[in-house]
Amino acid sequence: MQNFHTHTYRCHHAKGTDREYVEAAIKAGYTEIGFSDHVAYPFPNGHYSTFRMELDKTEDYVNSIRALQEEYKDKIIIRLGFEAEYYPEIFENLIHFLEPYHYDYLILGQHYTENEFDENSFYCGNPTKSAEILDRYICQTVEGIKTGEFSYFAHPDLIHYTGNEKIYRQKMKEFIKELKKLNIPLECNFLGFWDKRHYPNKTFWQLVAEEGNPVIIGLDAHQPEVYLDEKRLDKMKRFLADLGIKPIENFNIIKNSK
């Protein structure tokens, strides 16, 4: 089994030590995992984000995961990654900041449109009836994927559109078709399922099933015991199976060598 969506205490909303996640994954029978904590974005004007690691914690994060890779190399494969938003104006700065750390992968987790530090930004988990915001989310994520920097798209149904169902279906159908052309796996997010959030969105995944996009399961683990919750994970797998979706079982997360 694989899971490439794991957070650490450095993001300020996850619990447990890095080692505890590894031990839990081994106990649960995982053969390959990846750490993908919320990336430390080099924001302008000293903006501080409360849900991601600070810039000066990045080296500690990298050193910790690399040390665990070596220590547990005979028991489990461990990858080093980050979850990142695509903020067009400063994304190049992010890649430049990360290059010296020789990370294994990035996953796209678009929590905001535009960015998260000016008045035009929108937190995608908040309900909205605005088709304009839905369009902004779609366009921005597609643009981000086209950079070629991301290995997969985490919780692509995070955008919480509560407007006209017909509009949602039409726009998401077009979105999903474009994502298939880009050949990027879409993550069905276990944290959303586990925490009974507005995602996974059944309508979205029905459309994914119709189009036949590649799908990957991501635990989005914020505490080690999530790795051990086999019962609820089986329920989410049945949710996908009932829609005719068979997730990827052996995925090469390393898209580009950094």
Side-chain angles (χ1 to χ4, degrees):
M1 291 195 297
Q2 297 174 308
N3 171 57
F4 300 108
H5 200 164
T6 310
H7 293 278
T8 79
Y9 66 89
R10 298 171 188 81
C11 71
H12 308 291
H13 60 280
K15 300 176 182 179
T17 66
D18 304 341
R19 182 182 300 277
E20 285 173 332
Y21 284 97
V22 174
E23 293 283 0
I26 292 171
K27 185 176 180 180
Y30 283 81
T31 56
E32 184 176 10
I33 66 168
F35 283 86
S36 52
D37 211 358
H38 294 282
V39 74
Y41 233 112
F43 291 116
N45 304 319
H47 173 77
Y48 175 72
S49 175
T50 59
F51 73 95
R52 63 178 78 249
M53 73 176 83
E54 293 92 345
L55 292 172
D56 62 3
K57 297 296 191 298
T58 304
E59 187 169 355
D60 173 71
Y61 169 70
V62 171
N63 289 342
S64 174
I65 305 311
R66 291 302 189 199
L68 290 170
Q69 283 180 327
E70 180 62 25
E71 181 179 350
Y72 287 90
K73 63 183 179 182
D74 295 330
K75 295 182 178 180
I76 191 170
I77 298 169
I78 301 172
R79 305 296 187 188
L80 170 66
F82 297 91
E83 179 181 4
E85 289 76 10
Y86 174 67
Y87 297 148
E89 300 87 352
I90 57 175
F91 186 69
E92 188 175 337
N93 294 341
L94 173 68
I95 297 302
H96 180 70
F97 168 73
L98 291 177
E99 279 177 352
Y101 296 108
H102 305 290
Y103 58 93
D104 298 320
Y105 67 96
L106 295 179
I107 59 175
L108 176 63
Q110 196 72 31
H111 296 87
Y112 286 83
T113 62
E114 276 66 48
N115 53 61
E116 60 193 71
F117 52 83
D118 68 33
E119 61 184 15
N120 294 319
S121 62
F122 178 79
Y123 175 62
C124 300
N126 287 337
T128 178
K129 294 183 178 180
S130 170
E132 180 185 353
I133 288 176
L134 183 59
D135 282 337
R136 279 158 52 190
Y137 174 81
I138 290 170
C139 290
Q140 191 165 340
T141 54
V142 167
E143 184 180 338
I145 291 163
K146 286 181 176 180
T147 66
E149 296 289 348
F150 297 100
S151 291
Y152 78 68
F153 188 0
H155 40 62
D157 47 343
L158 174 69
I159 185 70
H160 195 184
Y161 180 73
T162 57
N164 186 286
E165 175 71 12
K166 186 176 180 181
I167 290 174
Y168 181 82
R169 280 185 167 273
Q170 176 187 345
K171 291 185 179 295
M172 281 301 180
K173 189 176 183 65
E174 294 170 1
F175 183 35
I176 288 164
K177 284 185 176 182
E178 182 64 22
L179 293 171
K180 187 178 181 184
K181 289 178 187 176
L182 295 171
N183 194 33
I184 189 165
L186 309 180
E187 178 203 76
C188 192
N189 186 271
F190 183 58
L191 175 62
F193 189 90
W194 185 81
D195 206 30
K196 297 182 179 179
R197 300 184 180 185
H198 63 278
Y199 59 94
N201 181 301
K202 188 173 182 179
T203 298
F204 179 89
W205 292 102
Q206 285 174 334
L207 294 170
V208 169
E210 290 172 10
E211 194 60 34
N213 299 60
V215 173
I216 192 167
I217 288 176
L219 294 185
D220 200 354
H222 283 72
Q223 49 199 36
E225 52 265 36
V226 171
Y227 271 98
L228 302 169
D229 196 344
E230 184 178 350
K231 185 177 292 186
R232 269 187 283 196
L233 182 59
D234 284 343
K235 284 183 68 174
M236 193 179 81
K237 289 177 179 178
R238 287 198 299 273
F239 162 78
L240 291 172
D242 288 346
L243 295 173
I245 295 174
K246 182 176 175 56
I248 301 168
E249 292 184 357
N250 293 294
F251 181 59
N252 179 17
I253 193 71
I254 303 179
K255 188 177 183 64
N256 297 304
S257 179
K258 294 294 178 183

